[in-house]
Amino acid sequence: MQHKNITWVEVSKSAIQHNIRTLKKILRPGTRFMAIVKSNAYGHGFVEVSRIATRSGVDWLGTVNLEEAFTLRSAGIHCPILVLSYFNPRRLARAIQEKIRLPVYGLQSALQLNSIARRLKKKAIIHIKVDTGTSRLGIPRNEVIQVIKRIARLEHITIEGIFSHLADAENPDQRITAKQLRVFEDILAELNFANIDIPLKHIACSAATILNIKSHYDIVRIGISLYGLQSIEKNYRQLHARNKHLALRPALSWFTTVIQTKKIPAGFTIGYGCTYRVARPTVIALIPVGYWDGYDRKLSNAGTVLIRGIRCPIRGRVCMNLCMVDITAIPSCKPGDRVTLIGKDRTREISADELAIKAGTINYEIVTRINPQIPRIFV
């Protein structure tokens, strides 16, 4: 049966709800759950995912920037929201008024926030980001205490949280993670010695939440695992043996439709650059998905799709808006037939992990890069 959309993404509400319930079972008592919905909820559709998450008992939401946070507030979502990375300085007044938590990783932004909050006669709520060894955003270790002491004296700033990010949480060898946790603990001890009390501490991503209970603190930040995808690139089974009951369900499926079928004579080439030559008479299907839609060009002559439960290989280069698929094994295939890019069809399945391996990347990138203009249908 032909779908009303030519290309669409289906997201399972029940899978997300199941993943939240499952992950909450492994949290240290009292630890709060922050669902990371940045970047269109890793491609899943961030307003609806945020609604599902908050209705399923998630305490916090994490966005990448203020624009995402404002979109959630405009959608009627009122739970605490933490901006994880960056913000437009021109939008800070609205952020303060809407009680959006802002990241601070330098004194200058704290001073700016304090000035705006003073003018509004309010307090800006911040989480201070410290660099414990990832060498990304964060106050350098040797400046942390000095900078926080100065921020703590600002009258219109409330330091609600302090956080960091782990560089190697997915590694079965947890020595680097343990080192970062020690640095974080040292910072907390020095703040305690200086009589600076910061209520909420957090450092754990999905992998750390699963693998290292010492990382849980007051909040865990669950991203990729919320969507049922493995956060560990290698040794997945070995690492998850520590949580044998942790059976997460992938929430996303991606479908398109055959728009044309045609016969290619033996010896002809397919696609740009003539990278594939057919050795025998071949039937191909044209599907309206390409790298603009987020189907990686590195899947040229490497990826497969499912049609009527049968694996069909991509032939030739992935184009901007089209792919060519060998359907010689399905004589009855016709325009309008459903094509599964990610997900299950009868007894077979194509996972985001499979595409990631073929494209030489990670599952995060595969799902996050699905074009946001493609409809997300929640089922």
Side-chain angles (χ1 to χ4, degrees):
M1 183 176 70
Q2 196 162 3
H3 198 274
K4 66 177 181 179
N5 295 297
I6 298 294
T7 301
W8 70 100
V9 167
E10 289 184 6
V11 180
S12 167
K13 294 181 184 179
S14 62
I16 293 172
Q17 291 163 345
H18 164 83
N19 296 337
I20 291 169
R21 286 194 304 269
T22 301
L23 289 158
K24 287 181 86 169
K25 290 176 183 175
I26 67 170
L27 299 188
R28 193 160 63 182
T31 298
R32 296 168 222 190
F33 190 128
M34 181 187 294
I36 304 304
V37 294
K38 66 176 184 173
S39 305
N40 200 28
Y42 292 39
H44 291 66
F46 91 122
V47 171
E48 187 59 31
V49 167
S50 298
R51 287 185 175 134
I52 295 166
T54 53
R55 291 167 186 165
S56 302
V58 160
D59 307 289
W60 285 66
L61 296 173
T63 68
V64 72
N65 57 31
L66 264 179
E67 301 314 311
E68 289 183 346
F70 291 153
T71 299
L72 294 181
R73 284 287 188 255
S74 297
I77 294 169
H78 302 296
C79 73
I81 297 172
L82 173 64
V83 172
L84 294 163
S85 294
Y86 54 91
F87 47 80
N88 183 342
R90 296 186 179 90
R91 309 299 299 278
L92 291 178
R94 180 180 171 186
I96 293 166
Q97 289 168 332
E98 298 198 9
K99 295 184 178 179
I100 293 167
R101 278 65 170 176
L102 297 165
V104 165
Y105 33 86
L107 180 60
Q108 193 57 44
S109 58
L111 292 170
Q112 184 179 28
L113 275 167
N114 187 65
S115 176
I116 295 168
R118 182 191 302 115
R119 190 173 71 244
L120 296 171
K121 298 180 180 178
K122 295 182 179 293
K123 286 202 171 189
I125 308 171
I126 68 168
H127 286 226
I128 295 175
K129 187 161 193 184
V130 298
D131 184 0
T132 55
T134 303
S135 301
R136 294 201 320 182
L137 290 175
I139 302 172
R141 173 67 184 97
N142 61 340
E143 300 174 16
V144 166
I145 304 304
Q146 178 185 357
V147 171
I148 293 178
K149 281 181 177 179
R150 293 194 63 183
I151 293 173
R153 291 196 291 267
L154 298 175
E155 187 179 351
H156 291 272
I157 294 287
T158 296
I159 306 175
E160 180 183 53
I162 182 169
F163 71 116
S164 191
H165 195 52
L166 296 168
D168 202 31
E170 301 87 355
N171 196 325
D173 181 344
Q174 289 277 291
R175 280 179 293 183
I176 292 175
T177 294
K179 182 179 179 181
Q180 284 193 257
L181 292 176
R182 285 195 298 272
V183 172
F184 196 54
E185 285 286 349
D186 289 345
I187 292 169
L188 298 179
E190 290 177 37
L191 290 172
N192 184 59
F193 183 77
N195 292 316
I196 297 173
D197 177 44
I198 301 179
L200 301 178
K201 297 93 175 169
H202 49 107
I203 195 169
C205 57
S206 290
T209 301
I210 292 167
L211 298 175
N212 198 323
I213 196 168
K214 291 179 181 178
S215 71
H216 288 193
Y217 292 98
D218 300 294
I219 302 175
V220 295
R221 305 190 302 264
I222 305 291
I224 198 74
S225 293
L226 177 69
Y227 310 103
L229 299 176
Q230 65 183 56
S231 55
I232 295 105
E233 297 171 48
K234 298 176 182 177
N235 302 309
Y236 178 66
R237 291 182 181 176
Q238 173 192 346
L239 291 167
H240 278 65
R242 303 183 196 182
N243 289 287
K244 293 180 180 178
H245 62 284
L246 195 72
L248 302 176
R249 299 177 188 167
L252 181 146
S253 300
W254 187 10
F255 304 104
T256 190
T257 308
V258 173
I259 58 172
Q260 184 186 15
T261 63
K262 63 196 303 182
K263 296 177 181 178
I264 307 296
F268 273 52
T269 59
I270 297 175
Y272 289 129
C274 304
T275 61
Y276 191 87
R277 186 180 302 274
V278 299
R280 54 174 171 73
T282 300
V283 184
I284 64 168
L286 279 292
I287 60 173
V289 166
Y291 54 82
W292 154 250
D293 306 279
Y295 197 77
D296 201 302
R297 193 168 181 266
K298 291 190 270 311
L299 295 169
S300 302
N301 293 309
T304 60
V305 302
L306 296 173
I307 302 175
R308 301 189 183 185
I310 297 172
R311 279 186 175 265
C312 302
I314 302 291
R315 297 303 192 203
R317 284 185 183 159
V318 173
C319 309
M320 186 180 294
N321 309 106
L322 292 168
C323 289
M324 291 69 72
V325 180
D326 188 337
I327 57 164
T328 309
I330 316 174
S332 58
C333 182
K334 64 184 186 302
D337 280 0
R338 189 180 75 169
V339 180
T340 302
L341 304 169
I342 296 175
K344 294 180 180 178
D345 185 353
R346 303 183 188 180
T347 61
R348 291 185 170 88
E349 180 177 8
I350 294 175
S351 67
D353 296 282
E354 176 186 327
L355 296 188
I357 290 167
K358 290 179 176 178
T361 184
I362 55 175
N363 55 20
Y364 295 68
E365 184 174 359
I366 293 296
V367 292
T368 302
R369 290 184 62 217
I370 298 174
N371 193 314
Q373 293 183 7
I374 295 172
R376 268 62 172 175
I377 298 168
F378 286 79
V379 297

